Amino acid sequence: VRSRGLGDVYKRQAVNHRNYDDYRTGLQDIPGIYLIAYDDTERRNYQYIIVEVDEALSGISRDDLVRVLHVEKVLVRRYFYPGCHEMEPYRSYFPHAKLLLPETERLTQKVMSLPTGTAVGTEEIAGVCALIRLAVDNSQELKLKLGTLSEK
């Protein structure tokens, strides 16, 4: 097993930082899609690219957006899902915990992580951002196709 030197660590950090900046640029004007901002005054490795999806503004839920991106072979994940309070043994010990954790419940339905790392480059990120934009721009049609348009 080859140990990784500090040069490898700094290279991954630099790539992840570039990816974060590319996502920030690519997602900045998509309604209801918010990149969780890092504080640039703090040191970090930028290993997670987290987005919050506001369905009321984007027209599409996080789960539907994940479904669309998975169909397009984009490896996104629901983030903080399920909440720890929904997993054993907590679910059994505290079955009504979600009533006491409204903010946690809200976030478990809205956040997702986007692909990053050294295998992801500027072109791939531009493609992911374009797919997200396309999904938001066509959210009503997607809801019909996905069967998630509620009768209001």
Side-chain angles (χ1 to χ4, degrees), residues 115-134:
T116 192
T118 57
V120 179
T122 298
E123 283 185 35
E124 290 85 7
I125 292 169
V128 170
C129 293
L131 286 170
I132 293 172
R133 182 179 309 283
L134 186 65

Side-chain angles (χ1 to χ4, degrees), residues 36 51-52 62 79-81 101-112:
I36 303 302
V51 171
E52 183 174 337
R62 184 273 319 266
Y79 197 63
F80 289 132
Y81 183 86
L101 301 168
E103 186 64 14
T104 301
E105 281 294 302
R106 184 187 76 75
L107 285 175
T108 63
Q109 301 302 311
K110 291 184 159 216
V111 291
M112 67 180 188

Side-chain angles (χ1 to χ4, degrees), residues 4-149:
R4 296 183 180 180
L6 276 178
D8 292 334
V9 171
Y10 291 133
K11 178 184 176 195
R12 279 193 308 277
Q13 180 182 354
V15 168
N16 285 342
H17 192 185
R18 181 208 64 212
N19 290 350
Y20 169 77
D21 288 338
D22 288 347
Y23 277 118
R24 182 171 44 190
T25 299
L27 298 172
Q28 68 185 350
D29 63 344
I30 302 175
I33 306 296
Y34 305 107
L35 180 71
I36 303 302
Y38 285 119
D39 182 346
D40 287 330
T41 64
E42 296 177 1
R43 285 188 56 192
R44 60 187 67 255
N45 62 14
Y46 296 90
Q47 75 182 43
Y48 295 107
I49 306 295
I50 306 302
V51 171
E52 183 174 337
V53 180
D54 183 339
E55 184 176 2
L57 295 174
S58 68
I60 190 167
S61 71
R62 184 273 319 266
D63 288 349
D64 284 348
L65 184 54
V66 166
R67 288 172 64 189
V68 168
L69 293 169
H70 281 175
V71 166
E72 295 296 329
K73 308 291 189 244
V74 178
L75 299 177
V76 297
R77 298 186 119 183
R78 297 179 291 186
Y79 197 63
F80 289 132
Y81 183 86
C84 290
H85 64 286
E86 292 290 342
M87 293 191 266
E88 292 300 337
Y90 310 107
R91 181 176 52 197
S92 293
Y93 289 145
F94 307 104
H96 302 294
K98 65 181 171 183
L99 299 174
L100 302 172
L101 301 168
E103 186 64 14
T104 301
E105 281 294 302
R106 184 187 76 75
L107 285 175
T108 63
Q109 301 302 311
K110 291 184 159 216
V111 291
M112 67 180 188
S113 64
L114 299 175
T116 192
T118 57
V120 179
T122 298
E123 283 185 35
E124 290 85 7
I125 292 169
V128 170
C129 293
L131 286 170
I132 293 172
R133 182 179 309 283
L134 186 65
V136 169
D137 289 346
N138 296 283
S139 60
Q140 293 306 305
E141 294 88 343
L142 283 171
K143 283 182 176 182
L144 288 171
K145 288 193 182 289
L146 295 170
T148 57
L149 185 64

